[in-house]
Amino acid sequence: MAVMGGAKQKKAFSDMLKSARIGIREAQYEVGLMYANGIGVAQDLELAINWIRQAAERRLPAAQYLLGTRYASGVGVEKDQHKAFAWYMQAAEQGHSKAYFKLGKLYSTPHQDLSVELYVKAAELGLADAQLALASELANGNVLEQDFPQALHWYRKAASQGVPAAQCALANMYANGQGVEQNLEEALLWYRKAAHQNHAAAQVAMEFIDASGNGRSKVSNHVRPKQSAAERRRDSERWAQSGDLGDADARYHLGLMYDLGICVEADPIQAEAWYLLAAKQDDLRAQLAVAKIYENRQDEAALAWYHKAAEQGSLEAQFALGRIYSSGSCAVQDVFLGMSWYVKAGEGGDSRSLVTLGNLFGGGLEHIASACFKRAAEDGVAQAQFILSQQYLTGKGVEKDIQKAIHWCQRAADQGHVQAQSALGGHYLSGDGVARNVALALSLLQNAAEQGDVKAQWNLSSVYMRGEDGIKKDLKQAFVWCQKAADQGFAAAQSSLGVLFARMKNTEQAFLWWLKAAEQGDPEAQYNLAMLYAKGQGMERSMGLAFHWFAAAAAQGVPGAQSRLALMYATGDGVALDPIEAHKWFVLAEEGGDGPSKANRARSESQLDTAQVVEAQRRAMEWVQVRSVH
């Protein structure tokens, strides 16, 4: 049974539950996660699904995506691929890149054309897994027409985000001259990057290139000429002779040759046969290769081979066992056993396991999470560096330290981590923790925005909108980037896009974008939407709907909305007359800096008796206290 946590976590759960019960979808989602993980409350998967479903029905993309994963895996609900598809689709419609990728995976076999279309969308949004999948489709030509240059393009995108499988595949293309002129120097560069992340095929490919004399010369850095067909055939024959004589190393290399198409035509059946022979001779590399083949088929036999490799100390195998047992991807699920393998690999220094443990412990054991992320960050893992930077920024699990936050964000950005580049650009734009440098901010934001990062697109739009510090004002560029961020479901951008359309006197489009943003909880959009309903601009006047959106914005601390809400309670326009509630909101609006509320509060106070004024002030104080928790 999950540990409920201490008094602080219980209080956090209680406060979050209050917000969830009044319909705040983000709070409903968080409550669902708390029930799922047993944070501040006894673990209850049924209640977890119930709250997550409520948030999903209120169109929160993260909740829709999570609910889709539950139906896809059967965790907490009866497994139902059609419902999984429906929820993934709703999340994808709002620009959730992981939902696009999941849709592609879910329907990759029966609906391959749809699968590729979804991979394209997710890849264009910058999701590395989707970029890798799309590149593989283009390289193999199973559904799309084979296109090596395009495959190279997408492999490079994913490789630049640090995906070892993409780095190895990119190296293979350079090694074999597929879609690009053969360049073994470049191949070795990418093999090394993948090998540094413990990618076995990349490590051995480097050895193979050196052993066969096709890599860099021992006395020269120039690439040797491409082998002739006869030379490649002789190399393969030499390896085959050794393999036939029972040499495990030769058998592994033969598997690798047929797997990667080095010196021979690629043949997965032959590759598997040679790998299997070597694996039975306890060749660690072959055991990993066989295990991956079985895992790709979701065959339980993968576990046996990963166990054999793990017993030989392979961190990659230990990490894989953690992943498989935790997810149940090979029909065997044991979350606790999965955790133990992650811990074992993490103790051995496996960066991916440390990041995974950091994420798992992040739901309440922040200090442990931070320790995991720090070790992985020091090992050069860009994702861990970025997460650690955010922890130092917020003080989650570590002492708040803006300089350390900038340091780790810079480390991750230097490796091409898109979110880190976006965050670092934001720091240079605001001058938070660094000397303000708009030109540098623009460069970082432009790079991240072009790779689909919504926050970068939004900040870039703001830079062009203002046109400050030597950056020329460009409303066209501002609109373009604002639209891109809005199309991905970024609420602040949707709200600003509504403002832009309103300035162009296009109330219909302004309404549509404000509604999208308001439903995601953007307070500015909620206030603007309420004003449209109150004035009847471009639509039928509705004080009931105006009250709904003024209340939503007021609950988030917008003084103008609090003032309007107070007036509605005071006059009974759109809501039942309630002078005490009106006075409460006048008090809050005045404290928030709303000018007219000062006189309105004084007028309201003169019309109430002492007990009513005290009650209104008590309600206002209670609202402030609840809000301070969040």
Side-chain angles (χ1 to χ4, degrees), residues 284 303 307 339 380 564:
L284 174 60
L303 289 169
H307 271 287
M339 178 75 77
R564 290 276 181 173

PDB file of all heavy atoms in Angstrom, residues 284 303 307 339 380 564:
ATOM      1  N   LEU A 284      27.765 -10.972 -24.295  1.00  0.00           N
ATOM      2  CA  LEU A 284      26.882  -9.960 -23.719  1.00  0.00           C
ATOM      3  C   LEU A 284      26.215  -9.112 -24.787  1.00  0.00           C
ATOM      4  O   LEU A 284      25.007  -8.842 -24.741  1.00  0.00           O
ATOM      5  CB  LEU A 284      27.680  -9.064 -22.769  1.00  0.00           C
ATOM      6  CG  LEU A 284      26.952  -7.848 -22.183  1.00  0.00           C
ATOM      7  CD1 LEU A 284      25.738  -8.269 -21.387  1.00  0.00           C
ATOM      8  CD2 LEU A 284      27.903  -7.029 -21.308  1.00  0.00           C
ATOM      9  N   LEU A 303      12.728 -10.957 -21.588  1.00  0.00           N
ATOM     10  CA  LEU A 303      13.128 -10.873 -20.186  1.00  0.00           C
ATOM     11  C   LEU A 303      14.276 -11.825 -19.870  1.00  0.00           C
ATOM     12  O   LEU A 303      15.212 -11.473 -19.153  1.00  0.00           O
ATOM     13  CB  LEU A 303      11.929 -11.169 -19.279  1.00  0.00           C
ATOM     14  CG  LEU A 303      10.840 -10.084 -19.238  1.00  0.00           C
ATOM     15  CD1 LEU A 303       9.595 -10.593 -18.537  1.00  0.00           C
ATOM     16  CD2 LEU A 303      11.369  -8.840 -18.536  1.00  0.00           C
ATOM     17  N   HIS A 307      17.838 -10.650 -18.525  1.00  0.00           N
ATOM     18  CA  HIS A 307      18.331 -11.144 -17.237  1.00  0.00           C
ATOM     19  C   HIS A 307      19.747 -11.697 -17.374  1.00  0.00           C
ATOM     20  O   HIS A 307      20.608 -11.440 -16.526  1.00  0.00           O
ATOM     21  CB  HIS A 307      17.394 -12.231 -16.696  1.00  0.00           C
ATOM     22  CG  HIS A 307      16.283 -11.699 -15.846  1.00  0.00           C
ATOM     23  ND1 HIS A 307      16.487 -11.225 -14.566  1.00  0.00           N
ATOM     24  CD2 HIS A 307      14.954 -11.540 -16.105  1.00  0.00           C
ATOM     25  CE1 HIS A 307      15.327 -10.808 -14.061  1.00  0.00           C
ATOM     26  NE2 HIS A 307      14.387 -10.984 -14.977  1.00  0.00           N
ATOM     27  N   MET A 339      11.147  -1.120 -10.243  1.00  0.00           N
ATOM     28  CA  MET A 339      11.847  -0.101  -9.463  1.00  0.00           C
ATOM     29  C   MET A 339      13.201  -0.626  -8.981  1.00  0.00           C
ATOM     30  O   MET A 339      14.214   0.087  -9.021  1.00  0.00           O
ATOM     31  CB  MET A 339      10.993   0.302  -8.259  1.00  0.00           C
ATOM     32  CG  MET A 339      11.643   1.324  -7.350  1.00  0.00           C
ATOM     33  SD  MET A 339      11.627   2.990  -8.032  1.00  0.00           S
ATOM     34  CE  MET A 339       9.919   3.440  -7.718  1.00  0.00           C
ATOM     35  N   GLY A 380      26.207  14.271 -17.864  1.00  0.00           N
ATOM     36  CA  GLY A 380      26.014  14.911 -19.161  1.00  0.00           C
ATOM     37  C   GLY A 380      24.659  14.685 -19.798  1.00  0.00           C
ATOM     38  O   GLY A 380      24.471  14.998 -20.979  1.00  0.00           O
ATOM     39  N   ARG A 564     -16.022  43.580 -11.053  1.00  0.00           N
ATOM     40  CA  ARG A 564     -17.241  43.286 -11.824  1.00  0.00           C
ATOM     41  C   ARG A 564     -18.106  42.270 -11.099  1.00  0.00           C
ATOM     42  O   ARG A 564     -19.337  42.379 -11.074  1.00  0.00           O
ATOM     43  CB  ARG A 564     -16.857  42.751 -13.203  1.00  0.00           C
ATOM     44  CG  ARG A 564     -16.244  43.786 -14.112  1.00  0.00           C
ATOM     45  CD  ARG A 564     -17.311  44.585 -14.801  1.00  0.00           C
ATOM     46  NE  ARG A 564     -16.755  45.571 -15.706  1.00  0.00           N
ATOM     47  CZ  ARG A 564     -17.478  46.321 -16.543  1.00  0.00           C
ATOM     48  NH1 ARG A 564     -18.788  46.174 -16.572  1.00  0.00           N
ATOM     49  NH2 ARG A 564     -16.913  47.201 -17.331  1.00  0.00           N
TER      50      ARG A 564
END
